[in-house]
Amino acid sequence: MRRLKLVMEALHTQSEQEIEILAKITEPDGLAQAFAIEKQIQAQIRTKLGAIRVRKTTTFAESGEENDDAKYVLTTKFKERVDGIKSNKETDADINEDIFKQFLSVAETYMNKTRYKFRVEKLEVTVGETVHQLDTKDLIFEVDTFVKADGSMSHYCKIDLEVQSLKEQFDRLGITANDLKYNLKVGSLPFKPIDFVLNDGSDDPEKKALISKIYDNEFMINRVK
């Protein structure tokens, strides 16, 4: 009973809404301008209802050396999509290295990635013909770069922006995610991304095929090929 209680106390549930954009990196040296960098190894098993994921995260010192501060987390995710915004109900639980390795050993694919964090300088939302400038002090671009199966770095990246912190501003303006369009200054990021693809759950077969190809060939490492 004591062990169960400790496990339950480690659980943390939150609702996450994010915009996901895939893009090509043209100036990789610009990634060094991030205010924080993390190394992540993660694997997940998907179902029609969501996914279970494990992730190992380590940080980097100012010298560029990887710190000895690995953190292991198991996450369950229940997914929805609303007009280009991925909405997830996520529950996190701290785990140890042994559980992480056990999960990783049975996952057919995994990701080896580095996450760079950049502050959002400007964000506008358009409702009808009205443009609103939003406060971005709590908004961060999380930019993931990926090591491919052959050990090379992918030219593609994934750019995520969590927008649940905007709810108070939306409420004040009397708008919801269904009402608006975002205008993000993604192209101004210092690594100069191009060829943007919004992963918005579109049913367009060409778009779905392109996103699957990028994930399969650029982001995922397949252990059973």
Side-chain angles (χ1 to χ4, degrees):
M1 291 297 293
R2 173 177 169 78
R3 183 176 182 182
L4 176 61
K5 182 178 179 182
L6 290 174
V7 170
M8 294 303 292
E9 286 176 347
L11 294 178
H12 174 64
T13 301
Q14 64 179 358
S15 294
E16 177 188 76
Q17 293 181 320
E18 65 182 10
I19 298 169
E20 179 184 308
I21 301 169
L22 312 183
K24 284 185 179 178
I25 300 169
T26 63
E27 296 187 18
D29 290 346
L31 292 165
Q33 297 183 36
F35 73 84
I37 304 174
E38 298 175 346
K39 179 71 174 179
Q40 297 182 350
I41 304 292
Q42 73 177 48
Q44 66 180 3
I45 297 174
R46 294 181 179 273
T47 74
K48 292 181 179 180
L49 300 177
I52 300 175
R53 180 188 71 200
V54 293
R55 176 184 286 169
K56 172 186 177 182
T57 301
T58 53
T59 62
F60 287 84
E62 291 185 5
S63 63
E65 296 293 321
E66 190 172 349
N67 292 319
D68 184 18
D69 62 352
K71 181 177 181 180
Y72 303 91
V73 176
L74 182 146
T75 302
T76 58
K77 306 178 73 169
F78 301 90
K79 292 189 174 183
E80 297 177 345
R81 291 180 186 268
V82 180
D83 289 353
I85 302 176
K86 295 199 304 180
S87 179
N88 303 313
K89 182 177 181 181
E90 299 191 351
T91 300
D92 295 334
D94 294 333
I95 57 174
N96 59 35
E97 183 178 9
D98 288 339
I99 294 175
F100 170 80
K101 288 182 175 179
Q102 289 176 29
F103 191 106
L104 190 65
S105 70
V106 299
E108 294 183 350
T109 61
Y110 72 97
M111 293 179 175
N112 180 356
K113 62 182 183 175
T114 302
R115 173 164 292 179
Y116 300 85
K117 297 183 179 182
F118 297 87
R119 292 183 175 85
V120 177
E121 296 181 0
K122 184 177 181 180
L123 174 61
E124 295 175 345
V125 296
T126 302
V127 183
E129 297 182 355
T130 304
V131 178
H132 300 277
Q133 182 76 42
L134 298 185
D135 183 355
T136 63
K137 62 181 175 62
D138 296 324
L139 295 182
I140 295 172
F141 285 120
E142 295 180 337
V143 180
D144 290 345
T145 65
F146 297 83
V147 177
K148 299 169 63 174
D150 62 4
S152 64
M153 292 298 300
S154 174
H155 295 297
Y156 281 88
C157 68
K158 181 167 72 73
I159 304 170
D160 288 336
L161 175 65
E162 295 185 5
V163 296
Q164 64 265 23
S165 63
L166 297 176
K167 184 179 185 306
E168 183 177 334
Q169 295 186 65
F170 288 175
D171 291 344
R172 188 165 60 248
L173 295 169
I175 59 179
T176 69
N178 293 323
D179 299 324
L180 54 85
K181 295 181 180 179
Y182 290 89
N183 180 14
L184 294 170
K185 300 299 182 181
V186 178
S188 64
L189 286 165
F191 55 93
K192 304 300 181 186
I194 61 171
D195 296 346
F196 303 105
V197 181
L198 177 64
N199 190 358
D200 58 356
S202 169
D203 291 327
D204 180 348
E206 291 186 4
K207 186 175 183 179
K208 290 176 68 174
L210 174 59
I211 292 171
S212 293
K213 181 179 179 180
I214 293 172
Y215 264 86
D216 291 344
N217 296 333
E218 305 290 336
F219 294 171
M220 309 299 299
I221 296 175
N222 193 322
R223 303 173 65 243
V224 296
K225 280 186 176 179

